[in-house]
Amino acid sequence: MRIFSAALALVLIGVPADAADPLLPPKVDLVQKREQLFGAYPEFPAENAMTALRRYGNAISRYEQEVIAGWQQEILERCRQVKEFERFISKRNARGELSPNEYAEHIEAIADERELCDAKNKDTSPLWQLEAELRTMNSKRFTELEVASTLCARTDDCRTR
């Protein structure tokens, strides 16, 4: 009953318009994000055994699927938020709620954020460049794993452990 009463009160009183207004995504601290993403990379196994190398290969695959793909999704989510904010600003501008200067400031901020998140700016966006660095590192480590696995397969001691 209390939940229903609280919900009814919100409907009758109304929720402030600002409560649901979309915003631009917060700025990204690229130094911290880089440390977080690179720091999550699995360590190369110290043990010289095929089972350890296989576990490492699985960890590399999980890193690609979870961390790198997660970062891609985070970037794309930023763009979705920018589009939502742009629609909101356009509506407010069409209703005459924004001064020309306010509208211009919002449009500039939207354009700046799109430079960061839009996939067509992969060559210049620091967000997408970080994603490319992660992919490059992951490919390099996978190649190192293949070499180590080949060398391991040549010796009975390593291959059977």
Side-chain angles (χ1 to χ4, degrees):
M1 184 67 173
R2 284 186 176 168
I3 295 173
F4 178 74
S5 299
L8 182 61
L10 285 175
V11 170
L12 294 176
I13 297 171
V15 177
D18 294 342
D21 291 349
L23 300 170
L24 284 175
K27 299 292 180 197
V28 175
D29 181 350
L30 281 175
V31 172
Q32 181 182 15
K33 191 55 130 172
R34 178 181 308 282
E35 289 174 5
Q36 175 191 0
L37 295 173
F38 278 95
Y41 204 83
E43 292 288 326
F44 195 86
E47 182 184 10
N48 191 22
M50 191 58 82
T51 56
L53 294 173
R54 285 189 185 116
R55 280 193 305 269
Y56 179 66
N58 290 337
I60 288 175
S61 293
R62 275 193 311 278
Y63 180 85
E64 183 172 5
Q65 295 166 1
E66 295 171 5
V67 177
I68 296 175
W71 177 236
Q72 287 175 334
Q73 289 305 311
E74 192 174 326
I75 296 170
L76 296 174
E77 174 62 20
R78 292 180 71 81
C79 266
R80 189 198 62 73
Q81 288 175 345
V82 170
K83 289 175 185 174
E84 189 176 312
F85 182 71
E86 184 175 28
R87 283 191 299 273
F88 172 71
I89 292 303
S90 294
K91 287 178 185 176
R92 286 190 64 202
N93 188 54
R95 292 190 302 252
E97 296 175 4
L98 298 175
S99 72
N101 287 344
E102 288 173 319
Y103 182 67
E105 287 175 12
H106 287 305
I107 293 301
E108 186 177 331
I110 290 166
D112 290 346
E113 189 60 40
R114 282 207 176 168
E115 286 291 319
L116 293 174
C117 71
D118 202 330
K120 68 182 176 187
N121 299 323
K122 282 188 176 185
D123 294 337
T124 58
S125 166
L127 304 180
W128 285 108
Q129 287 174 352
L130 176 56
E131 187 266 350
E133 290 174 30
L134 291 168
R135 286 207 172 278
T136 300
M137 179 205 51
N138 199 50
S139 294
K140 180 182 173 192
R141 299 279 174 88
F142 186 75
T143 301
E144 291 170 358
L145 172 63
E146 288 177 327
V147 169
S149 296
T150 301
L151 293 173
C152 180
R154 291 181 183 164
T155 64
D156 287 338
D157 183 43
C158 183
R159 183 177 56 238
T160 58
R161 293 186 340 176

